[in-house]
Amino acid sequence: MSLYTMGDKNTCHRTKKIMLLFPPDWFPSEPYLSLPSLTAVLRSAGHLVVQKDVNLEMYDWFFSSNGLQLIFEKAPKQLERLKNKSALLGLDDNDRSLKQALTGCTKARINELSQHAEEAKKIVTSHDFFDVKKLEWAINIFHEVTSVISLVYAPAIIRLPPMETTLPYNTFISTELMKAIKDAQVNVYRDVYKQILQPSIHSENPDIIGISIVLKQQLISSLTFCSLIKEDFPHIHITIGGNTVTRLRDILPEKPDLFAVFDSAIVFEGETALLKLVETIGTTRNLATVPNVIFRDASGIHTSPLIMAEDVTRLPVPDFDGLPLEKYFVPELILPYVATRGCYWGRCKFCDHGEGYTAGYRAKKISQIIDDIHYLQNKYHTHNFHFPDESYPPALFKKLSYALIKNNMNIAWMTHLRFENSLTNEEIWETAANAGCKYLHLGFESGSERILKRMDKSTTTNIMSKMLKISSNAGIWNHVMGFFGFPGESYEDAQQTIQFLEENKEFVHSIGFGTFDLCKYAPVTKENDTFGITYYKNPEWDLALNYYYTVDEGLGIEDSEKLLEAFEKNHYEGWDLRIFIREYVFLYVVHYGTNRLYSLLCNSQNRSIPDFL
């Protein structure tokens, strides 16, 4: 490879090595798309890229004999801490329980748990995965292992997502984040760094390290890594990016203590911005010439005046080379692929997803989409795909289905959709099913016509019930997502939601329900007077991405939480699944060829199960 690559006209750039990191916590069932998308652009420009899914490697380490043995070498320190606390203050009930549990973690117990953890990993990565009893046992072992690991890092609680790890620090307060990254007692990510990341950085010796922060729960792990890298490798430029970083773009320049653990932050879309950053670092050019970047230098923290959005038709196909694809916790590889940027609808009052973009909705041409999928299918020998676009537009969804059939792609896929009147035709869903569509994430939100209008969803319960029935009859699994407590929602509105779901339970296979969050950048927050909301900005909660609020009328926060709690206890039992991980249900639908997966039901032992299951 040539030492130099061409960048801007008449300018040469030295080939650089970049290490890209995906941090914990995320369920390790498929690669997250940010790293492969960035890698493709950097490698196309001639740079060297090392991709590290630290999240995957962490769980692989947790569920190994070596990992558990090393972690439990810390147990004496925890016991010593409890002893010292007992001498000074005495132990409360939690401390006494912790001490007893630690004492019970003998060498024999850890050895047994290590063997079970290794066996559990074999189950989720082999054909045994499709025996639901074995799969359920494996997941229970994962939870048991993380519960035992939690004893060492208490009062932190280590959980396998979707029940995320929690440390006794608030991620929405920058001063607490700074304390968390230094806390060697509770911060498990410091040990993850020492065992997984530090040796790799020594070996690879990158010029630049980039960390993709998707969710706010990844802030502690990400900033812990940044801080420790700065201590051990001060010469390496560290840049952070991702959706969470974008949402904090107005706060980061005001936080020099926080910004001290990294050098730059990329906001909005990152492919071109990261490439230009890479090719500017180490030159005499000012980083202010790089779009979408906030950076630190000797004179302070600065924000580039340049903002840009990607032309998605010019982006290369994602590059997954270098990721340990065989280690993901699935028996068959699932690859993500995105054909669009932004949401074609973009009007839902509660949603702030559009905050990650500076331009509106954009999409690749259908021929490019098919070529990209075909390339990924052949290169990585998989027929399972996840299309995690914000929401596939109906026209593109139809074109995709027809094109997949026309080109004999023979893939299985899942995607995200809105309820649209133009998707209530039986032929559309017969075609989609024949094209390999197996699983849908559907933005249901509410079963009240009044609230749907208030949200600007531009759909009706009649449209939703039609689409659910037709897609279900075509053999597609419908997962509907909703919440209680949109401002102005009454108890009667919420009951209409519950009634709608019950009436359509035959066609709703799983649900994801919560309560309304008032997001910082959502339209409803900006129009708070119109929606009868009063929200509160606590000055100490400087990194908050949603706000506490009260409403003039309807369900408040506490009311919604009580309603959700009652709904979770009393809803249709067919939505209670033994296995509820999205990718796992998808693979079961693919494997068994049906959305009637009675074996996944929590009460399946009391049901008559068809022979084919």
Side-chain angles (χ1 to χ4, degrees):
M1 180 177 290
S2 171
L3 180 62
Y4 291 95
T5 58
M6 294 304 297
D8 297 335
K9 187 176 180 181
N10 299 324
T11 306
C12 288
H13 300 281
R14 180 177 64 85
T15 295
K16 295 190 178 75
K17 178 182 275 191
I18 305 97
M19 178 178 283
L20 298 179
L21 310 178
F22 185 71
D25 283 299
W26 198 271
F27 195 83
S29 50
E30 66 175 74
Y32 195 80
L33 193 54
S34 56
L35 266 57
S37 298
L38 296 168
T39 296
V41 171
L42 292 171
R43 286 178 176 164
S44 294
H47 296 288
L48 305 175
V49 182
V50 177
Q51 300 190 76
K52 282 192 74 66
D53 189 336
V54 183
N55 178 71
L56 169 64
E57 293 186 42
M58 180 186 76
Y59 284 114
D60 186 51
W61 180 60
F62 279 175
F63 305 133
S64 69
S65 298
N66 180 56
L68 278 172
Q69 296 293 344
L70 285 172
I71 287 169
F72 267 84
E73 288 179 3
K74 294 172 62 76
K77 291 184 179 179
Q78 179 71 292
L79 287 168
E80 182 67 20
R81 182 185 73 85
L82 291 172
K83 180 180 178 181
N84 293 337
K85 182 177 180 181
S86 177
L88 291 173
L89 304 171
L91 300 180
D92 59 23
D93 290 343
N94 290 334
D95 290 329
R96 283 189 286 271
S97 296
L98 172 60
K99 183 178 179 180
Q100 183 178 2
L102 279 167
T103 305
C105 289
T106 62
K107 184 176 182 180
R109 168 63 174 147
I110 298 303
N111 287 339
E112 178 187 46
L113 202 56
S114 299
Q115 292 174 4
H116 286 170
E118 295 281 8
E119 186 176 347
K121 281 196 299 185
K122 290 178 181 177
I123 287 173
V124 298
T125 55
S126 70
H127 190 77
D128 284 342
F129 172 96
F130 296 106
D131 181 330
V132 70
K133 292 181 180 179
K134 291 182 179 180
L135 179 58
E136 189 173 32
W137 177 86
I139 293 174
N140 287 337
I141 289 296
F142 293 153
H143 286 294
E144 183 179 357
V145 170
T146 53
S147 295
V148 171
I149 292 174
S150 297
L151 300 177
V152 173
Y153 296 97
I157 300 174
I158 314 303
R159 294 189 178 110
L160 186 70
M163 300 296 290
E164 292 86 6
T165 290
T166 56
L167 273 61
Y169 293 97
N170 293 311
T171 58
F172 49 82
I173 301 176
S174 61
T175 54
E176 292 212 14
L177 268 181
M178 295 304 295
K179 292 177 182 177
I181 64 180
K182 299 295 184 182
D183 191 335
Q185 169 55 47
V186 305
N187 192 343
V188 61
Y189 306 117
R190 293 180 66 89
D191 289 328
V192 171
Y193 168 82
K194 292 175 186 175
Q195 295 299 322
I196 295 172
L197 196 48
Q198 186 186 51
S200 182
I201 297 173
H202 267 300
S203 174
E204 297 291 349
N205 191 28
D207 301 295
I208 298 161
I209 291 177
I211 304 179
S212 175
I213 308 174
V214 180
L215 298 176
K216 61 183 178 181
Q217 70 232 32
Q218 295 175 306
L219 281 172
I220 292 180
S221 62
S222 298
L223 295 180
T224 297
F225 296 160
C226 288
S227 176
L228 293 174
I229 293 168
K230 273 296 166 200
E231 291 177 11
D232 293 341
F233 309 95
H235 63 285
I236 296 178
H237 183 104
I238 303 173
T239 188
I240 62 174
N243 195 281
T244 294
V245 175
T246 296
R247 292 166 196 254
L248 293 172
R249 64 188 180 276
D250 59 331
I251 300 298
L252 289 177
E254 302 172 0
K255 302 297 173 185
D257 290 346
L258 196 64
F259 218 110
V261 301
F262 54 90
D263 301 290
S264 63
I266 294 175
V267 298
F268 304 116
E269 296 168 75
E271 289 93 342
T272 299
L274 179 58
L275 176 60
K276 290 185 177 296
L277 177 69
V278 165
E279 296 185 337
T280 301
I281 290 170
T283 71
T284 58
R285 290 172 55 197
N286 191 326
L287 288 180
T289 62
V290 178
N292 301 2
V293 70
I294 306 169
F295 63 95
R296 173 174 56 86
D297 62 18
S299 64
I301 300 171
H302 315 279
T303 300
S304 169
L306 305 177
I307 300 294
M308 69 157 293
E310 299 293 343
D311 178 352
V312 296
T313 64
R314 300 184 64 183
L315 292 175
V317 62
D319 187 341
F320 296 88
D321 286 1
L323 290 172
L325 300 179
E326 74 287 351
K327 287 190 174 183
Y328 285 91
F329 286 25
V330 284
E332 300 173 7
L333 178 64
I334 304 171
L335 288 184
Y337 173 80
V338 168
T340 67
R341 290 281 168 96
C343 177
Y344 74 95
W345 179 246
R347 285 167 45 182
C348 296
K349 296 297 184 180
F350 56 83
C351 181
D352 66 347
H353 287 184
E355 201 60 31
Y357 309 103
T358 58
Y361 167 78
R362 291 145 287 155
K364 296 181 180 180
K365 297 178 181 178
I366 193 65
S367 59
Q368 183 181 6
I369 297 171
I370 295 298
D371 287 345
D372 287 353
I373 295 172
H374 189 258
Y375 173 85
L376 294 171
Q377 181 185 23
N378 289 336
K379 182 172 184 179
Y380 299 106
H381 308 291
T382 185
H383 66 278
N384 301 310
F385 286 87
H386 179 198
F387 303 145
D389 302 65
E390 299 283 351
S391 183
Y392 247 86
L396 187 60
F397 179 80
K398 296 173 191 176
K399 289 180 181 178
L400 175 67
S401 297
Y402 283 116
L404 289 172
I405 293 173
K406 180 181 178 181
N407 289 274
N408 298 312
M409 298 293 285
N410 190 30
I411 66 170
W413 47 283
M414 56 179 165
T415 193
H416 304 235
L417 287 178
R418 277 173 37 85
F419 286 100
E420 293 272 15
N421 190 47
S422 58
L423 293 176
T424 56
N425 182 288
E426 289 186 8
E427 182 183 349
I428 291 171
W429 291 105
E430 289 174 1
T431 303
N434 289 333
C437 182
K438 303 294 183 182
Y439 189 115
L440 295 176
H441 283 262
L442 296 164
F444 163 66
E445 325 310 356
S446 173
S448 164
E449 298 281 357
R450 187 180 77 86
I451 296 303
L452 289 172
K453 289 180 182 178
R454 193 170 171 84
M455 292 175 174
D456 202 5
K457 288 290 293 183
S458 190
T459 192
T460 66
T461 54
N462 184 49
I463 290 171
M464 291 193 293
S465 59
K466 282 183 179 179
M467 189 167 150
L468 286 168
K469 181 178 181 179
I470 297 170
S471 57
S472 176
N473 287 342
I476 296 167
W477 184 282
N478 291 323
H479 177 82
V480 302
M481 299 170 288
F483 55 86
F484 297 117
F486 185 75
E489 181 179 35
S490 67
Y491 180 79
E492 290 73 22
D493 291 317
Q495 289 304 311
Q496 289 175 28
T497 294
I498 296 171
Q499 182 180 352
F500 176 90
L501 291 171
E502 289 286 343
E503 290 175 350
N504 291 274
K505 60 188 177 185
E506 181 182 353
F507 314 117
V508 173
H509 305 99
S510 57
I511 60 174
F513 251 73
T515 57
F516 171 74
D517 285 330
L518 185 64
C519 298
K520 180 177 179 178
Y521 291 106
V524 67
T525 308
K526 299 172 184 177
E527 303 168 29
N528 62 300
D529 289 339
T530 301
F531 284 90
I533 302 170
T534 301
Y535 64 88
Y536 305 87
K537 292 184 178 180
N538 186 326
E540 294 182 0
W541 297 1
D542 51 347
L543 303 183
L545 294 178
N546 48 56
Y547 301 132
Y548 179 82
Y549 66 94
T550 57
V551 293
D552 292 345
E553 59 182 9
L555 299 171
I557 293 175
E558 293 79 10
D559 301 321
S560 301
E561 290 174 347
K562 290 178 181 177
L563 191 60
L564 176 63
E565 183 180 359
F567 178 62
E568 288 177 337
K569 290 180 180 178
N570 300 304
H571 61 227
Y572 170 55
E573 62 183 7
W575 297 325
D576 295 324
L577 304 179
R578 297 165 70 179
I579 306 299
F580 51 85
I581 299 162
R582 172 182 61 195
E583 290 82 3
Y584 287 9
V585 175
F586 165 70
L587 289 175
Y588 263 64
V589 176
V590 174
H591 182 79
Y592 289 110
T594 178
N595 56 18
R596 303 298 179 184
L597 297 171
Y598 299 104
S599 64
L600 292 188
L601 303 182
C602 284
N603 63 343
S604 59
Q605 61 271 23
N606 299 322
R607 289 173 175 259
S608 175
I609 301 175
D611 291 339
F612 58 82
L613 292 182

